Amino acid sequence: MSIELFSLAGRRAVVTGGGRGLGKAIAAGLADAGATVAVVSRTSADVEAAADELGERVVPLALDVAGDDAAGLVDAMEAALGGAIDVVVHAAGVQHRQPAEEFAADAWDRVVRVNLTAPFRLSQEIGRRQLATERAGSHIFIGSLTSLLSIPDVAAYTATKSGVFGLIRTLSTEWSGRGIRVNGIGPGYFRTALTEAVFSDEERYRKMLDRIPMGRFGNPQELAGTAVFLASDASSYTTGQLLMVDGGWTAS
């Protein structure tokens, strides 16, 4: 197999939540494979720092992807990238931990808006433009262990990540015959700001570690190869899939 199948040279990519954590690692991988990448976050300092660190092919863009104006967001992304978008990775996400019987309504609404509604609206607008111009595309959603199984105290997160897997399947069914592939990555436990509450609890830390067949947690950089695969021609016949990168958790 030619290494050129994995090349993203000449392609334009957007990574939401790309200023830190898993999104930043994915953005680095796409840029290393040759793509021009817009890293998007509400926090200007995060995206500026990420762009400075990751190099000249990475463009910082401070935007709230949970805003209502999807067309305006995509216009800004295309302007920053200098053309139409080929790849979008939906890595922005929020978490709220609370027992189901106590789960606050405003927290539920926020998690659903950021984790499920926002990525759908963004892919919807990017997809419209790709379909209208017959431009091939790769849309990559970030799922979770909770796309497939349940974990206590994260009802909204579980609902959204289960919904993300549904979106992957539905958008793939509707779009893959017209040149747009839709897939997802399901990370296991990686130490990021989103999971810090779990990692700082020694009892939960040991319990989770014992559950992982590989015997360790993931490094954010270990998601980059999966993202490059799904964004590139190496996965040209792969669509509608959620690829778990979890150290074997969901297989055991």
Side-chain angles (χ1 to χ4, degrees):
M1 178 182 293
S2 170
I3 195 67
E4 292 302 314
L5 283 174
F6 294 89
S7 174
L8 297 176
R11 300 190 194 182
R12 302 180 187 93
V14 169
V15 181
T16 71
R20 58 183 177 172
L22 303 185
K24 180 181 173 183
I26 288 171
L30 299 180
D32 285 345
T36 301
V37 184
V39 288
V40 180
S41 170
R42 290 188 305 168
T43 308
S44 179
D46 284 349
V47 292
E48 294 285 352
D52 286 345
E53 178 183 341
L54 300 182
E56 62 183 14
R57 282 198 292 270
V58 177
V59 180
L61 198 54
L63 293 172
D64 181 2
V65 295
D68 294 329
D69 183 13
L73 290 172
V74 178
D75 285 344
M77 293 169 182
E78 290 181 340
L81 289 168
I85 296 164
D86 301 292
V87 177
V88 57
V89 181
H90 300 289
V94 295
Q95 177 63 286
H96 181 80
R97 299 180 186 278
Q98 196 172 18
E101 68 273 19
E102 301 169 8
F103 212 95
D106 59 344
W108 175 277
D109 291 343
R110 175 173 174 261
V111 173
V112 172
R113 184 176 70 254
V114 174
N115 292 5
L116 185 60
T117 303
F120 170 67
R121 292 299 184 196
L122 185 56
S123 263
Q124 181 184 46
E125 182 61 27
I126 294 171
R128 282 172 178 156
R129 300 183 188 202
Q130 290 170 333
L131 292 169
T133 58
E134 299 184 345
R135 187 179 189 89
S138 175
H139 295 227
I140 303 170
F141 290 78
I142 301 301
S144 162
L145 293 172
T146 62
S147 297
L148 303 179
L149 48 80
S150 61
I151 294 172
D153 299 334
V154 290
Y157 190 81
T158 299
T160 60
K161 293 304 182 178
S162 298
V164 160
F165 192 16
L167 277 180
I168 290 166
R169 298 193 306 270
T170 299
L171 295 180
S172 173
T173 298
E174 294 192 26
W175 292 350
S176 61
R178 293 182 282 170
I180 300 174
R181 295 183 298 107
V182 184
N183 291 289
I185 301 172
Y189 275 99
F190 294 74
R191 192 161 196 163
T192 68
L194 199 65
T195 58
E196 188 57 38
V198 175
F199 278 83
S200 61
D201 183 326
E202 183 61 28
E203 182 179 352
R204 293 177 72 180
Y205 180 98
R206 294 306 315 177
K207 185 177 180 180
M208 288 190 308
L209 191 61
D210 290 343
R211 179 70 176 74
I212 302 170
M214 288 188 74
R216 65 176 178 85
F217 296 105
N219 297 313
Q221 294 76 15
E222 291 180 295
L223 291 177
T226 307
V228 170
F229 168 68
L230 291 176
S232 72
D233 291 342
S235 61
S236 60
Y237 200 54
T238 302
T239 189
Q241 304 304 307
L242 179 64
L243 302 186
M244 302 304 296
V245 185
D246 63 0
W249 181 305
T250 52
S252 67

